[in-house]
Amino acid sequence: MTGAASGIGRATALMQAGPGVGLVLHTGTNATGLEAVAEAARAAGATVATLLGDIAAPATSDGAVALAAEMFGRLDAVIAVAGHARKGAIMDLPEAEIRAALEDSVVALLRLARAARPLLKAGGSGRIVATSSFVAHALRTDMQPFAATAASRSALETTVRLMAHELAGDAITVNAVAPGLIRKDEGRGSKLSPESIARMEAIIPLGRRGAPEEVAAVIGFLASEAASYVTGQIIHVDGGLV
């Protein structure tokens, strides 16, 4: 699982943890947060390996899959949560920002899926769950722009659908969740101003931000055997915002 040190990734890791469960947990730089999650997962009975690295680097995806093979001899599900919110209007962003957003989402997911495919296929069935965002769909003038994120997550959703078709013959399902405005972990700041958060909460039909655990529950379903006939889908967890 990538992006496991905080937020949705943390909630998903802890929801999956339990006796007999093996987890490979990744973060880019938040080693302290990742170790805290790993310790909590171990306390719940899981066997845990951890990995730090740039999610867009081939060594990271290859290393995560190699860890799973070495420690567990199998791989049942790949859950990709890592990503960065990149604020700014599309006409003002440096090209490097747009390239980096695509590397973090589309390219990173493809590298991870390609590395994991043999192990997922060998198990007879497999799950790949990616993370998109509501900003790929909710293009409003009353919201702060996250243009590079919106563009890259839109591309990621198309990639998910393409992968779902191509990997169906291997009995591997590929889906994504698109979270809405989700609360941050305590002590972690948001890239949105308090005023923007208040305006957004006012237009969310359920009238509040979501909890990381509410997204993690949907990720957990998509990664489970119960979702064996669900593939190529983008599931919105956003309180009705989109």
Side-chain angles (χ1 to χ4, degrees):
M1 177 186 307
T2 71
S6 63
I8 294 168
R10 175 184 183 275
T12 304
L14 297 182
M15 196 170 287
Q16 294 294 309
V21 174
L23 298 171
V24 175
L25 303 180
H26 156 272
T27 189
T29 58
N30 186 5
T32 301
L34 186 66
E35 188 53 37
V37 175
E39 284 302 310
R42 292 183 185 115
T47 302
V48 182
T50 59
L51 176 72
L52 275 73
D54 178 1
I55 191 55
T60 303
S61 53
D62 292 345
V65 173
L67 265 178
E70 176 185 347
M71 291 195 64
F72 311 118
R74 60 185 289 180
L75 182 59
D76 301 317
V78 170
I79 299 174
V81 180
H84 304 286
R86 300 176 184 275
K87 189 163 63 174
I90 196 70
M91 298 300 289
D92 300 328
L93 283 172
E95 288 184 9
E97 278 284 294
I98 298 171
R99 290 194 189 97
L102 290 167
E103 285 275 339
D104 288 348
S105 54
V106 178
V107 176
L109 177 64
L110 278 171
R111 284 179 176 149
L112 189 57
R114 287 170 177 169
R117 183 179 186 178
L119 272 182
L120 291 172
K121 182 179 179 180
S125 66
R127 305 281 179 269
I128 298 174
V129 186
T131 308
S132 182
S133 172
F134 76 99
V135 300
H137 303 269
L139 303 177
R140 301 173 58 105
T141 57
D142 55 353
M143 291 184 185
Q144 291 187 26
F146 287 81
T149 301
S152 66
R153 296 309 193 197
S154 294
L156 178 139
E157 291 183 6
T158 299
T159 303
V160 162
R161 295 187 181 99
L162 291 168
M163 288 169 55
H165 280 275
E166 293 185 15
L167 296 179
D170 294 337
I172 299 170
T173 66
V174 189
N175 296 286
V177 294
L181 187 64
I182 306 299
R183 292 199 309 269
K184 297 291 184 181
D185 292 347
E186 187 174 352
R188 291 180 65 87
S190 172
K191 291 194 176 184
L192 291 170
S193 67
E195 294 77 16
S196 294
I197 291 173
R199 284 197 303 271
M200 287 188 63
E201 287 181 329
I203 63 174
I204 296 171
L206 286 183
R208 63 174 176 84
R209 282 176 285 175
E213 292 76 12
E214 291 175 301
V215 184
V218 178
I219 292 174
F221 165 70
L222 292 173
S224 74
E225 282 301 313
S228 59
Y229 202 56
V230 181
T231 196
Q233 302 304 305
I234 313 300
I235 311 297
H236 295 266
V237 188
D238 60 12
L241 179 61
V242 174

